[in-house]
Amino acid sequence: MPTGPQADRSDLSHFPDAHVGLQELHTQLDQLARLACRLCGTRAALLIEQAPEQARVLGSHGLSATGCASAARACSPLLTEDPDRKGETSSSREGSQLSAEALRPLNSSSADLCFCHAVVLPELTTGNRTLLVLLSKAPCDHLVFVPEDLEGLAQQAALLLNLARRHPPTSARILGQGAANAQALWESQSRRDMVEQTARVGSWSIDLVSGLGVYSDEYAAILGLETANRQTTFEQLVQSCNPEWQSGIRQRLERCATTGAGFDEEVQVLVPGLGSKWVRTVAAAVRNEDGDILRIHGAMQDISAQKQAQQETLRLAMRLTTTLASITEAFVTLDRQCCFTYLNQESERLLQKTTADLLGLEVWHDFPPDVGQRMRTQLERAIKTNRRQEFEDHFPSLGKWLEVRAYPFAEGLAVYFRDVTERHRAQEQLMLLETSVSRLNDIVVIAEAGVNSDQEPRIVFVNDAFELHTGYSRADVLGQTPRMLLGLDPTISKLRELSLGLHNTQQARTELMVRRKNNAWFWVELEVVSVLSTNQTVSHWVAVGRDITQRKEAEDEIHHLAFYDALTDLPNRQLLMDRLTHALEQCAETGEQGALMFIDLDNFKILNDTLGHHKGDLLLQKVARRLAQSVRKTNTVARLGGDEFVIMVDDLGTDPEAAAYKADVVAKKVLNTLRVPFDLDGHQHYATPSIGVTSFNGQHDDVTELLKQADLAMYQAKTMGRNTLCFFDPRMQATMSANAAVSSDLRNGLKDHQFVVHYQPQVNRLGAFTGVEALVRWQHPRRGLIRPADFIPVAEDTGLILPLGQWVLETVCAQLASWAQRPETSDLSAAVNVSVRQFRHPDFVDMVMSAIRRSGIRPQKLKLELTESLLADRMEITIEKMGMLKELGVTLALDDFGVGYSSLSYLKRLPLDQLKIDKGFVADVLTDPNDAAISRAIIALAQSLSLQVVAEGVETQEQRDFLARQGCDQFQGHLFAPALPIEELEAFLEGKMSTGLLPH
């Protein structure tokens, strides 16, 4: 908007020499008009001077040139008022609307202006009446102004005009100072607004003559008012308060206006849209030189946050007071001189004094000097070191033992008192009990029960007799579990029975073996009782024991005489019958198969008759030792009498045929063991046995009947020529006969070259053939082609697997040598299965080395597939042999991974190249989530160990795709090709060469 009427600037030419700094004078008068608008919140302002023809415009703001002329004409009547009122504000026409005739020349943006207020410029040397006129938007609101600021502007304008008339040479300099003064006035107003906003304090001022006032921007912000108007009245100030505060504020404002008494109050005000708010309101009267009250100045500060903090502090203090009062322990606070500042109810009860009696007194004032001095030392140490102190002492005046815990804080100490008199009494009683129990001859052990059933008890006390009998000192066992004294399986079982009895009756008795510190064992008759706590839970176990080793040794000797043969020290008939009865019951429950072997020495009577009974007794003792060494320790070897022995084997598995086969193996082992000559004090004696074997499963078996069956089978063996064995069960006998026939045929088959090797191709993820697995087949002259599952077990048991495996190895090496001559097959590898017995042979590595050397093949093309059963035992030997083979360059694979002894701790130590996923997992990999998870796990494990993975038994494309997605490297199965004879394999490979499926 234009700042002044540029066309009328020549009106200033009536000043003598006004041309000097004339432009600066124009600018300064316009700035004064602009500053008046800013201070009073009006739309426009102008400075007009009385002239003969018409009012002369000296400066303006907010009006165009045309608007200035129209406004000057409209305000001309103000210039004719009484000249004696110079320097005073003129408001006789305040609020009057400019006439329509005067408004007509104004532009549209100023057409709604009306006269608002005027101030006469004082002491002008020109003698012409000059006014500072404020114009506001119509309809005219009350003026918002600060009287002293507006009068100051009038004085500043008069100074500028007088200087321009009387001192032209210096007017330019003075004009510059006037501009600085005007700018300083504006900057002062800006600084006031900034300070109010920073301090969140708003101000207001009300003129008592007009009853009108003005407020600052921050005042408006506090009350949520508009800043465009900024006008107010006494009543508006009152109405801004909550209803309950309005009457009081009205009275204080009236008192301040009449008597000048200021006030400083905290009240609640209403904020539109926000509700109530706490403020601090301050007011003071402003007087003139005569002491008359002209106006009231006030300030308002938002204290809602402080009020809220005060309320929170009050609530916190109330909660803290309630909490301290509710503490069940005696609690007091002390100042830094250790004088009472607070006591809760429990502390009053414990100290037997009221709060009124103790406040301000030193905490030790009522205690004996020695007790008080000890307490003072501890509490002063807590204050000095700023660390908590804990101590216990006896307070005779209270008749109690007290535990004192002092915690320092800024104002002093927080002290807890706890009555521990009962605990001290219990400790005294425990000390007396410990002293008396320590002198008992019986062993006494006290263990503290665990917090829950999963925690084992811990030893907290042992007496002197315990140290004497066990050799352990108290330091060795305190805090340890009683299990350290036990360890034998029967002992642990008895301990479980003892624990069960304790839970039922809180008292139990048993006999068990306890280990001494030197690892020797002795028998203890033990009685244990449980100690219940106040909540009826077990807190401790008390065990009292007596050494009964001598008695148990006597009982054992009697038992041994009753159940063991005196000559051979083997179980006698009675013990055999007991064990056989128990075995039949177990087999009936588990489905396990067992066997009973009746052994009779051939021609034993002749030995007795020729060499004497002492030689016969010596032979029986040596036979007993050999029989015991021929079977497992879990089996039973008994002597029935004379030269008759019985062996009971009850862990042959659940498969009847497999059990029969194992029984035959054990019987033959016994037969061969007894065929070795016996040295009878320098006399070499050949003894041969006749063995009868019968099986049992506990379903329809009788102990006596089983012995008869074994006896009959033994006699049948004698009738067959002695020095042999015979099975009672005809079907079992038939099975054994069949195995014997297979064994005999195997020998003939090896001799007659009846075995052949078939090859099953292996492919990689791209579908290219990388090698084959060699699978042995038996081309029997009568039974046709026999698969490995039907003859390999017999070959293993008879030891024929060694020559058969060596033949397969040499055959495969020869085939690899043949393929090496042709470029299209030179990169193919061949895998050979190696049995455990074959691998365990001492010369196995040498045999592999010889086969490679004779054939001249690259060792890397020979792959040995080992079974997981190799990991079951003798691991160091296995790893050593595999390392030797690896040094030769042979590729090593672990066959059928996951179905045998999969020890990951050993797997990482084996120098393997491949893992083969068993076909059992592959078959259901798409339908069984478990098989899918196992396959993924095997592949991931192999990848983590940098091993290749080969999947066997891949029958469908879906299986192959699933395994490939998991990261499987190679595949083998009927999806690609079955196991083929070498002629068919050669033809098969030639067909694949044309499709590019053989690597080059």
Side-chain angles (χ1 to χ4, degrees):
M1 181 178 291
T3 60
Q6 301 299 327
D8 295 334
R9 292 305 187 189
S10 59
D11 292 342
L12 295 175
S13 62
H14 65 284
F15 289 99
D17 299 321
H19 62 279
V20 180
L22 185 60
Q23 183 62 40
E24 288 83 354
L25 181 61
H26 289 323
T27 302
Q28 293 302 314
L29 294 176
D30 288 344
Q31 288 181 353
L32 287 173
R34 175 174 175 270
L35 188 56
C37 291
R38 294 291 298 274
L39 289 175
C40 300
T42 59
R43 179 71 175 273
L46 71 163
L47 284 160
I48 58 175
E49 183 185 35
Q50 188 179 31
E53 299 82 6
Q54 63 179 6
R56 184 180 295 118
V57 178
L58 303 180
S60 69
H61 176 75
L63 295 170
S64 64
T66 305
C68 283
S70 298
R73 286 194 301 273
C75 297
S76 293
L78 296 174
L79 297 170
T80 61
E81 291 186 358
D82 184 3
D84 294 335
R85 300 179 62 188
K86 289 181 180 180
E88 298 180 6
T89 60
S90 177
S91 59
S92 61
R93 301 185 61 183
E94 182 179 343
S96 62
Q97 184 74 30
L98 294 177
S99 66
E101 180 181 357
L103 291 173
R104 191 175 300 116
L106 300 178
N107 59 31
S108 58
S109 63
S110 302
D112 56 353
L113 291 176
C114 66
F115 169 73
C116 187
H117 195 74
V119 178
V120 179
L121 271 65
E123 301 175 358
L124 287 175
T125 58
T126 61
N128 295 332
R129 188 178 178 85
T130 305
L131 300 177
L132 173 59
V133 181
L134 301 177
L135 303 177
S136 182
K137 295 183 67 174
C140 181
D141 295 328
H142 292 297
L143 179 64
V144 179
F145 72 99
V146 181
E148 61 268 24
D149 292 342
L150 199 58
E151 292 173 3
L153 290 176
Q155 293 175 1
Q156 184 69 32
L159 175 63
L160 291 174
L161 293 173
N162 287 335
L163 287 173
R165 179 174 178 83
R166 291 186 296 183
H167 305 287
T170 61
S171 61
R173 178 175 56 82
I174 299 301
L175 285 173
Q177 294 176 356
N181 292 337
Q183 182 65 27
L185 183 61
W186 173 245
E187 290 178 356
S188 175
Q189 177 70 17
S190 299
R191 282 194 297 272
R192 186 195 71 182
D193 292 342
M194 181 178 67
V195 170
E196 287 189 2
Q197 183 178 6
T198 303
R200 292 192 59 80
V201 177
S203 62
W204 53 268
S205 178
I206 295 182
D207 184 72
L208 296 182
V209 176
S210 64
L212 301 176
V214 63
Y215 54 80
S216 66
D217 290 345
E218 187 60 29
Y219 180 90
I222 293 174
L223 293 179
L225 304 177
E226 296 181 357
T227 59
N229 190 359
R230 301 203 303 178
Q231 296 180 6
T232 188
T233 64
F234 272 111
E235 188 58 29
Q236 288 175 344
L237 287 176
V238 173
Q239 293 299 323
S240 65
C241 299
N242 278 9
E244 62 269 22
W245 298 95
Q246 292 177 5
S247 175
I249 290 299
R250 183 179 287 108
Q251 292 176 6
R252 286 166 175 76
L253 286 172
E254 291 174 352
R255 186 184 304 115
C256 186
T258 56
T259 67
F263 61 87
D264 185 345
E265 298 288 341
E266 293 181 356
V267 300
Q268 283 186 298
V269 296
L270 288 171
V271 180
L274 296 178
S276 296
K277 178 187 291 186
W278 278 98
V279 298
R280 177 187 178 190
T281 179
V282 180
V286 180
R287 303 176 186 267
N288 60 13
E289 295 177 354
D290 298 331
D292 298 328
I293 300 175
L294 301 178
R295 56 188 176 274
I296 300 176
H297 281 253
M300 180 179 288
Q301 181 182 18
D302 185 352
I303 61 172
S304 298
Q306 295 93 312
K307 278 290 184 180
Q308 183 177 359
Q310 289 174 2
Q311 293 173 357
E312 288 294 331
T313 302
L314 180 59
R315 284 195 293 269
L316 179 60
M318 293 180 64
R319 286 199 301 270
L320 180 59
T321 302
T322 303
T323 301
L324 292 177
S326 63
I327 293 177
T328 57
E329 290 188 53
F331 172 79
V332 303
T333 58
L334 310 175
D335 60 19
R336 300 192 71 82
Q337 287 72 43
C338 296
C339 295
F340 287 104
T341 57
Y342 171 82
L343 296 91
N344 70 349
Q345 186 175 355
E346 181 62 22
S347 65
E348 291 180 336
R349 186 195 64 79
L350 182 65
L351 299 178
Q352 302 172 10
K353 293 290 182 65
T354 65
T355 298
D357 297 333
L358 295 176
L359 283 180
L361 298 179
E362 292 176 329
V363 66
W364 53 76
H365 83 285
D366 200 27
F367 298 144
D370 54 341
V371 177
Q373 183 58 40
R374 289 195 296 269
M375 176 178 280
R376 179 173 185 170
T377 301
Q378 295 286 349
L379 297 183
E380 289 180 347
R381 182 183 296 123
I383 293 175
K384 182 178 180 180
T385 62
N386 198 34
R387 293 187 178 181
R388 74 175 186 180
Q389 295 292 324
E390 296 184 9
F391 58 94
E392 293 181 5
D393 210 333
H394 184 255
F395 294 80
S397 58
L398 302 176
K400 300 177 184 297
W401 277 88
L402 295 184
E403 176 189 76
V404 183
R405 288 174 287 141
Y407 300 86
F409 65 101
E411 286 76 20
L413 292 174
V415 182
Y416 292 85
F417 293 96
R418 179 184 296 171
D419 186 351
V420 293
T421 305
E422 291 300 323
R423 189 181 72 191
H424 272 267
R425 290 175 182 170
Q427 289 174 346
E428 291 177 0
Q429 293 177 357
L430 182 61
M431 182 181 65
L432 294 174
L433 179 63
E434 181 177 347
T435 302
S436 59
V437 171
S438 296
R439 300 295 184 266
L440 292 177
N441 293 326
D442 289 341
I443 298 171
V444 178
V445 178
I446 301 177
E448 184 179 37
V451 178
N452 52 58
S453 58
D454 295 333
Q455 290 182 315
E456 294 190 27
R458 299 288 173 178
I459 298 173
V460 297
F461 172 82
V462 294
N463 67 347
D464 296 343
F466 174 88
E467 294 184 293
L468 177 63
H469 284 80
T470 66
Y472 288 103
S473 67
R474 288 184 174 84
D476 293 333
V477 298
L478 291 184
Q480 303 295 322
T481 174
R483 188 179 292 272
M484 67 172 292
L485 305 171
L486 311 172
L488 298 177
D489 289 341
T491 301
I492 299 300
S493 300
K494 287 187 176 183
L495 195 61
R496 295 193 186 99
E497 296 175 2
L498 180 69
S499 177
L500 182 62
L502 284 170
H503 281 293
N504 294 333
T505 63
Q506 281 83 50
Q507 184 172 355
R509 184 191 300 268
T510 190
E511 295 177 357
L512 49 77
M513 296 187 71
V514 175
R515 180 170 52 196
R516 291 189 171 96
K517 190 173 183 179
N518 61 6
N519 288 326
W521 294 88
F522 69 101
W523 278 97
V524 173
E525 180 183 64
L526 192 66
E527 184 173 0
V528 183
V529 295
S530 58
V531 179
L532 300 181
S533 61
T534 55
N535 59 359
Q536 297 302 304
T537 59
V538 176
S539 63
H540 292 81
W541 307 98
V542 179
V544 180
R546 180 179 290 108
D547 188 345
I548 58 171
T549 304
Q550 292 182 353
R551 192 192 78 190
K552 293 297 293 184
E553 290 175 351
E555 292 176 355
D556 290 343
E557 184 177 357
I558 295 172
H559 179 273
H560 193 272
L561 292 174
F563 292 98
Y564 286 84
D565 177 56
L567 177 64
T568 61
D569 207 31
L570 293 177
N572 59 16
R573 178 184 291 270
Q574 182 62 44
L575 184 55
L576 172 67
M577 300 292 280
D578 290 345
R579 292 185 179 180
L580 186 54
T581 301
H582 180 70
L584 292 176
E585 294 174 353
Q586 292 293 322
C587 290
E589 294 178 2
T590 62
E592 284 279 341
Q593 300 286 322
L596 196 66
M597 303 177 190
F598 202 105
I599 304 167
D600 184 85
L601 298 180
D602 297 331
N603 303 314
F604 178 72
K605 187 176 181 301
I606 298 176
L607 174 65
N608 273 336
D609 293 342
T610 57
L611 298 180
H613 289 279
H614 66 285
K615 295 290 187 184
D617 291 343
L618 182 58
L619 175 62
L620 293 177
Q621 290 173 343
K622 294 198 173 188
V623 167
R625 284 195 290 271
R626 288 194 186 181
L627 291 178
Q629 295 169 358
S630 300
V631 296
R632 298 179 181 175
K633 293 183 178 180
T634 56
N635 300 145
T636 296
V637 179
R639 180 191 178 207
L640 297 186
D643 60 344
E644 294 178 342
F645 297 86
V646 173
I647 296 177
M648 183 186 71
V649 182
D650 57 356
D651 53 356
L652 299 179
T654 57
D655 183 9
E657 292 188 2
Y661 181 78
K662 293 177 181 178
D664 179 69
V665 172
V666 174
K668 287 181 177 178
K669 183 178 180 181
V670 171
L671 194 65
N672 293 328
T673 298
L674 297 182
R675 285 173 176 170
V676 177
F678 291 89
D679 181 12
L680 302 179
D681 291 338
H683 176 77
Q684 191 176 43
H685 176 75
Y686 289 86
T688 59
S690 294
I691 303 175
V693 184
T694 185
S695 62
F696 60 85
N697 56 21
Q699 298 298 326
H700 306 287
D701 298 315
D702 176 77
V703 174
T704 304
E705 188 64 27
L706 283 175
L707 285 173
K708 288 182 179 180
Q709 292 175 3
D711 193 19
L712 289 174
M714 182 271 295
Y715 278 109
Q716 185 178 359
K718 284 188 176 292
T719 59
M720 292 172 61
R722 301 183 180 181
N723 193 19
T724 187
L725 62 92
C726 181
F727 282 83
F728 173 78
D729 189 347
R731 290 172 299 177
M732 187 183 302
Q733 185 65 44
T735 301
M736 295 299 102
S737 299
N739 288 338
V742 170
S743 177
S744 177
D745 287 348
L746 274 173
R747 297 180 186 277
N748 294 330
L750 285 171
K751 183 179 62 176
D752 298 336
H753 306 290
Q754 296 174 0
F755 293 91
V756 295
V757 177
H758 288 187
Y759 301 89
Q760 186 172 32
Q762 296 174 340
V763 302
N764 61 16
R765 300 180 67 179
L766 300 178
F769 286 89
T770 59
V772 296
E773 180 181 3
L775 300 170
V776 66
R777 301 289 189 266
W778 186 4
Q779 190 65 51
H780 197 276
R782 297 186 307 277
R783 300 168 58 189
L785 192 66
I786 302 176
R787 303 183 66 81
D790 296 330
F791 64 85
I792 290 297
V794 178
E796 286 270 10
D797 292 334
T798 58
L800 295 176
I801 191 66
L802 297 176
L804 178 60
Q806 184 64 22
W807 175 83
V808 172
L809 178 63
E810 292 177 352
T811 301
V812 172
C813 288
Q815 187 60 54
L816 284 172
S818 174
W819 282 340
Q821 304 304 317
R822 294 183 292 171
E824 63 272 14
T825 58
S826 61
D827 287 331
L828 293 179
S829 62
V832 178
N833 289 290
V834 178
S835 72
V836 175
R837 188 164 184 176
Q838 187 180 3
F839 186 87
R840 296 283 189 221
H841 194 280
D843 299 329
F844 176 71
V845 176
D846 293 335
M847 290 187 289
V848 173
M849 189 183 305
S850 299
I852 293 173
R853 189 185 309 111
R854 284 194 298 270
S855 61
I857 64 171
R858 287 181 291 171
Q860 294 82 3
K861 297 305 175 184
L862 177 63
K863 184 192 306 179
L864 301 182
E865 293 187 359
L866 312 175
T867 62
E868 283 188 298
S869 54
L870 273 174
L871 310 181
D873 58 0
R874 292 188 280 181
M875 271 302 300
E876 298 304 324
I877 297 176
T878 300
I879 293 173
E880 181 182 0
K881 279 192 175 183
M882 292 178 68
M884 296 169 64
L885 293 170
K886 191 68 177 177
E887 290 177 0
L888 291 176
V890 176
T891 301
L892 300 177
L894 194 59
D895 196 15
D896 300 336
F897 183 78
V899 299
Y901 189 85
S902 304
S903 173
L904 301 183
S905 62
Y906 286 143
L907 184 61
K908 67 180 182 180
R909 300 174 55 194
L910 300 178
L912 293 172
D913 301 289
Q914 285 184 351
L915 290 183
K916 297 193 74 174
I917 303 177
D918 184 67
K919 60 185 177 182
F921 298 132
V922 175
D924 298 326
V925 73
L926 299 177
T927 58
D928 189 339
N930 293 327
D931 286 350
I934 292 173
S935 300
R936 282 193 295 266
I938 293 174
I939 294 172
L941 175 63
Q943 290 174 344
S944 66
L945 296 175
S946 301
L947 303 178
Q948 288 189 332
V949 184
V950 182
E952 294 180 302
V954 180
E955 305 291 339
T956 65
Q957 186 65 33
E958 290 77 11
Q959 293 173 347
R960 181 263 171 211
D961 292 342
F962 172 85
L963 294 168
R965 285 195 300 270
Q966 307 310 315
C968 187
D969 302 297
Q970 297 186 40
F971 310 88
Q972 176 182 338
H974 281 231
L975 174 63
F976 311 101
L980 301 172
I982 186 59
E983 297 80 12
E984 295 181 23
L985 178 67
E986 296 281 358
F988 180 79
L989 294 179
E990 289 178 3
K992 295 301 179 181
M993 286 172 55
S994 62
T995 63
L997 294 180
L998 279 177
H1000 296 285

